[in-house]
Every structure is written in C-alpha cells, then in structure tokens.
C-alpha cells in the first residue's frame, strides 16, 4: 500500500483479509485518509503518511467525510443494500479526490448482492476505490478475488502488542495479549470476567466428557445456556476451541508462552 500510494499506482479495488480485530477497518480508514489528505497547509496530495489534522483526515476519523462510506455486510447483506451504496458511485467526489467504499465482512453478502458488486468492479469510475474486508479470502467468489488486490494483515508480534497495550493503558496485559494472539482489536474488547465465566462452563463440559465430573453438572449449565438470551453458543465454542488447542500443546510439552490459557495450566494438566 505504501508503494502504491508513493508511486500513485492505485488499483480500483483492495481486499483486506486477516483475523478478527487485526485492523482491517482501521487500515481502510487510513487508506481513505491517504487518498484524500491535503496536508496541514492545505497544499498536499496523495500520500502514504496522512497528516491527521486536515479537514479530510479529521472528518474520516469521526465518520462524517461524505466521500467515505462503510457498509457492514454482516447486517446489510442484501442486493438492495449494495445497490443503494453503488448508486452513489455515479456521482463524483464532493469533498475529496476519491470516493472510498468500504464493505466490511464482504463474504456475508448474498449471491445477487455479489453480482451487483461485480458489475461495478468490472467498470469502476476513475475516482472510486472499493475496499472489501473478510476473515478468509477464499470465502469469496473467485471473480471477486481476481478483480481485487489482496492484502493479508498478519497478527502483530508480541513486542508490537505490548507497545499497543501500554499506549492504550490496558489492564491485565499478560492475559489479554495471550488471548488476543496478535489482534489489537480483540485485546481491547476482551472482557476477562465474561471470558472466565464461559471458560469455567467449558471446563465443566470437558470434565464431564473425561469422566471427571458427573454429566448432571454439565446438564444444568447446558440448560442455563439454552435459556439465556444474552449468550450465544458460538462464543462458548470459541472458548472451547482455545482450551482444546491448549490441551494439545500441553501434550507436546509446550511452554506457557505458547498457551492461550496459561493461567490454568495445572488445571488443564489434571
């Protein structure tokens, strides 16, 4: 992206992929600022280092830049939602140099919505940049992938995550970084109290499955989860996955640094 901006060799569509919370939406906003930044003196052009203080940069940061639009495809996945967005493509930018459309979780779009998006990707106006984000690029149609520049956002290394946590003033840093696995967004949003409650429930399930606890104890927990309106089974399965992953690592005699739930290692070993 830096090279493309520096050389001004821009593509009309980019596909950002990576794990949840790794920064796909953040990078999309930085790209929009890079394309529309005018510098602190108002005389700047396309740049790989937006100033962050000009009107375009500040408006994008607070979500009021008229030429930057975000669509959450997880909740707006139909053809009408996409057509409403793409209808804006026929109009030239009002404030900036480029219109930037960011479609988050693009793999959630319906088939007709994908087809509508494909038409714009095949014949985009010169002032339009489309950014799509997805956890896995292979969840998308090959026709969409082939018309976009793929950019994979890798999880941050531990020193970078530690610096991020210090900058944001996060508490329980060691546990957060272990559970986030290089995802800044997850490190910030993680509620350890809620996670610990779900973990205790999944440990009860594992204990029952191993014959260490009576199934009756797990049955009560299962009934409570089924009756709950605030808890989703998906969230518990994610915790269960992490526990099973740690159990395998422990069997391989992995060190604590490799475990996501290092704080209960002794309980997992038992």
């Amino acid at each position: 992206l830096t090279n493309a901006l520096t050389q001004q060799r821009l593509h009309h569509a980019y596909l950002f992929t990576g794990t949840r919370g790794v920064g796909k939406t953040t990078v999309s906003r930085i790209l929009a600022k890079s394309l529309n930044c005018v510098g602190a003196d108002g005389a700047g052009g396309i740049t790989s280092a937006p100033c962050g203080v000009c009107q375009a940069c500040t408006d994008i940061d607070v979500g009021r830049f008229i030429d930057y639009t975000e669509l959450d495809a997880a909740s707006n996945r139909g053809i009408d939602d996409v057509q409403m967005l793409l209808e804006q493509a026929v109009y030239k930018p009002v404030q900036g140099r480029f219109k930037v459309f960011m479609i988050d979780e693009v793999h959630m779009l319906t088939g007709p919505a994908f087809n509508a998006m494909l038409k714009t990707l095949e014949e985009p106006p010169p002032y339009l940049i489309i950014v799509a984000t997805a956890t896995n690029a292979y969840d998308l149609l090959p026709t969409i992938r082939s018309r976009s520049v793929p950019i994979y956002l890798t999880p941050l290394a531990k020193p970078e995550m530690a610096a991020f946590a210090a900058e944001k003033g996060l508490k329980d840093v060691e546990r957060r970084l272990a559970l986030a696995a290089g995802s800044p967004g997850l490190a910030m949003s993680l509620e350890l109290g809620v996670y610990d409650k779900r973990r205790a429930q999944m440990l009860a399930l594992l204990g029952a499955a191993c014959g260490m606890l009576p199934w009756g104890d797990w049955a009560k927990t299962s009934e409570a989860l089924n009756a709950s309106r605030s808890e989703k089974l998906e969230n518990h399965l994610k915790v269960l996955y992490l526990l099973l992953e740690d159990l395998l690592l422990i069997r391989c005699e992995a060190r604590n640094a490799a475990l996501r739930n290092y704080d209960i290692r002794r309980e997992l070993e038992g």
Side-chain angles (χ1 to χ4, degrees):
L1 278 177
T2 298
N3 289 336
L5 290 165
T6 302
Q7 300 171 19
Q8 297 194 17
R9 299 178 61 179
L10 302 171
H11 198 271
H12 64 274
Y14 292 91
L15 174 59
F16 295 163
T17 60
T19 58
R20 174 185 165 225
V22 80
K24 300 184 290 293
T25 300
T26 300
V27 175
S28 171
R29 292 171 183 166
I30 293 173
L31 175 60
K33 288 192 286 187
S34 297
L35 293 169
N36 292 293
C37 179
V38 296
D41 58 359
I46 296 174
T47 175
S48 60
C51 68
V53 297
C54 70
Q55 190 69 48
C57 288
T58 54
D59 283 354
I60 290 171
D61 280 335
V62 298
R64 62 169 179 245
F65 191 69
I66 196 169
D67 295 317
Y68 177 70
T69 306
E70 294 182 359
L71 176 71
D72 180 10
S75 54
N76 302 281
R77 57 194 303 265
I79 185 171
D80 292 340
D81 300 307
V82 173
Q83 283 183 334
M84 190 179 300
L85 173 68
L86 297 180
E87 282 172 1
Q88 302 176 35
V90 299
Y91 303 105
K92 292 184 177 180
V94 176
Q95 287 181 268
R97 303 182 194 92
F98 290 90
K99 276 182 176 289
V100 181
F101 292 165
M102 196 281 279
I103 305 177
D104 194 21
E105 304 290 348
V106 68
H107 57 282
M108 299 291 289
L109 293 178
T110 63
F114 267 124
N115 292 331
M117 179 180 169
L118 185 59
K119 292 179 181 178
T120 302
L121 286 177
E122 289 173 340
E123 299 177 358
Y127 51 78
L128 176 65
I129 303 291
I130 295 178
V131 178
T133 75
T135 304
N136 186 352
Y138 292 97
D139 289 337
L140 304 178
L141 295 172
T143 49
I144 299 292
R145 297 201 309 267
S146 64
R147 288 165 173 79
S148 307
V149 174
I151 297 178
Y152 178 65
L153 277 63
T154 58
L156 299 185
K158 286 186 177 180
E160 295 172 321
M161 285 293 292
F164 172 81
E167 179 185 343
K168 298 297 182 180
L170 299 181
K171 298 180 180 179
D172 300 307
V173 172
E174 194 172 350
R175 282 198 66 199
R176 284 182 181 275
L177 298 192
L179 292 168
S183 169
L186 184 55
M188 286 191 65
S189 63
L190 185 63
E191 296 182 32
L192 290 177
V194 175
Y195 177 84
D196 288 343
K197 180 181 177 181
R198 291 171 181 161
R199 185 173 67 178
Q201 292 169 336
M202 292 299 99
L203 284 170
L205 171 60
L206 290 175
C210 296
M212 299 171 61
L213 295 173
W215 273 107
D217 292 350
W218 165 245
K220 294 178 182 177
T221 302
S222 177
E223 290 172 0
L225 288 176
N226 187 50
S228 174
R229 294 184 178 181
S230 60
E231 288 286 10
K232 294 182 179 179
L233 180 60
E234 177 188 1
N235 295 328
H236 287 77
L237 292 178
K238 289 178 180 177
V239 176
L240 179 60
Y241 174 85
L242 295 182
L243 291 171
L244 293 172
E245 183 182 69
D246 283 349
L247 284 171
L248 288 173
L249 289 170
I250 289 172
R251 288 292 298 272
C252 297
E253 300 182 354
R255 297 181 178 180
N256 279 353
L259 303 181
R260 308 285 281 277
N261 296 280
Y262 68 89
D263 58 310
I264 57 168
R265 178 171 187 142
R266 289 187 178 180
E267 188 173 350
L268 291 174
E269 287 175 335

